[in-house]
Amino acid sequence: MRRRQFYKYGVCACVLLYIYYFFGVGDYIYSRSFDDEFDYPLNVDVAPLVADVLAGRRPALAPINYYPHRFLTNSGACSAVPHLQLFIVVKSAMSNFEHRAAVRQTYGQENLIPGKIIKTLFFLGIGSPLKSETQKLIDEEMATHKDIIQIDFLDNYYNNTIKTMMAFRWLYEHCATADYYLFTDDDMYISVANLLEYVHARNATDGTGTLFAGYVFKSAPQRFRSSKWRVSLAEYPWNRWPPYVTAGAYVVSNSVMRRLYAGSLFVKHFRFDDVYLGIVAKKVGIEPTHCPRFHFYKKSYTREGYRSVIASHGYGDRSELVSVWNEQHSLI
């Protein structure tokens, strides 16, 4: 009898330990208060450092987060035009040839909106081996369209922050003249007309020219050990994230693009790009704006239901994106 009870207690203890470990209970218990203790490195006021970078002065502290990667291709997308209304940055995976073709056929067209100068470029990393069949096809694609910026980092999910911030660097160094910059994944539906209507309305009511907008999340880190989004206390010890805009699609104004890039030089790297931009925005004093017209999920399509949509996720099928976009574009 005593042995059976001991066995039961042992099983219960093992189950509790497993639950404690698997669900990261200790991480939730011992996480620090975001409201009271947030001090993500560098734990200094980065505003003066950002001001120095933007003014071309040497900052008082050296940058801690300059990614050591090179642009393997470049583009004269901004060299021939003194001013852009909108620059579209499409974060694309190497093998997504059909996605890029669909973008070129829809919202990525340069003469889309009469009287508006809009440019679109795709940003990619590299694969292994460097001279793969996929890379050969990309080389041909680049030669044909001249709209791809390739960067020498390994293109995978956990390097999305590198892709995003290298795109910011390219814009800062080569195309810092656009009014607004739209960052989007290559499987999004985008209405450029609705986007421009939104940013112009925001500017008319706000007037500051400061905009970082999309679908804003206010959430906590995932601590479950089985999750690909698990974040340990060592990596991020606070109990919630700063407000952040989901990475599928978001728009920033010119001043915000430059401030986020300059700020990132003094903010430690984090592997989730949308969370990282939320951290940088918090450090430089930019508050993300929630816009429900950006859909981080795939919004069910109806002709009337999409009339005000700016972005919707889940358009990996080229023919579906083209069909939806053509019908909506015909209503403009």
Side-chain angles (χ1 to χ4, degrees), residues 87-99:
F87 195 105
I88 302 176
V89 171
V90 183
K91 297 173 292 174
S92 185
M94 292 181 65
S95 60
N96 289 358
F97 298 97
E98 290 296 306
H99 292 55

Side-chain angles (χ1 to χ4, degrees), residues 229-262:
W229 297 290
R230 168 177 161 75
V231 176
S232 69
L233 288 179
E235 189 175 10
Y236 187 89
W238 297 279
N239 61 356
R240 67 178 178 87
W241 304 121
Y244 66 90
V245 179
T246 185
Y250 54 91
V251 62
V252 297
S253 60
N254 183 285
S255 64
V256 169
M257 181 278 290
R258 292 184 287 110
R259 285 171 65 191
L260 287 176
Y261 172 69

Side-chain angles (χ1 to χ4, degrees), residues 198 202 211-218 243-246 287-297 310:
Y198 169 73
R202 284 283 309 183
L211 183 65
F212 178 21
Y215 198 99
V216 175
F217 277 98
K218 296 180 180 179
Y244 66 90
V245 179
T246 185
E287 184 174 351
T289 299
H290 179 67
C291 177
R293 297 168 67 181
F294 287 80
H295 298 271
F296 70 94
Y297 56 91
I310 293 174

Side-chain angles (χ1 to χ4, degrees), residues 40-53:
Y40 195 90
L42 283 171
N43 186 23
V44 298
D45 180 6
V46 302
L49 306 174
V50 169
D52 286 340
V53 171

Side-chain angles (χ1 to χ4, degrees), residues 35 39 43 68 82 92 96 101 111 128 136 138 153 162 172 194 206 222 238 256-257 271 275 294 309 319 326 330:
D35 293 325
D39 58 356
N43 186 23
S92 185
N96 289 358
N111 300 316
S128 180
K136 292 176 183 177
I138 289 173
F153 70 91
I162 297 175
Y172 185 84
N194 286 346
D206 180 71
Q222 175 64 263
W238 297 279
V256 169
M257 181 278 290
R271 59 193 161 100
V275 171
F294 287 80
V309 168
S319 61
N326 281 341
S330 69

Side-chain angles (χ1 to χ4, degrees), residues 5 137 165 307:
Q5 283 184 322
L137 292 174
M165 298 320 300
R307 291 295 297 273

Side-chain angles (χ1 to χ4, degrees), residues 2 25 39 52 74 140 167 192 202 225 229 258 301 324:
R2 187 172 295 175
V25 175
D39 58 356
D52 286 340
N74 216 320
E140 295 174 7
V192 173
R202 284 283 309 183
R225 293 186 183 275
W229 297 290
R258 292 184 287 110
Y301 181 73
V324 169

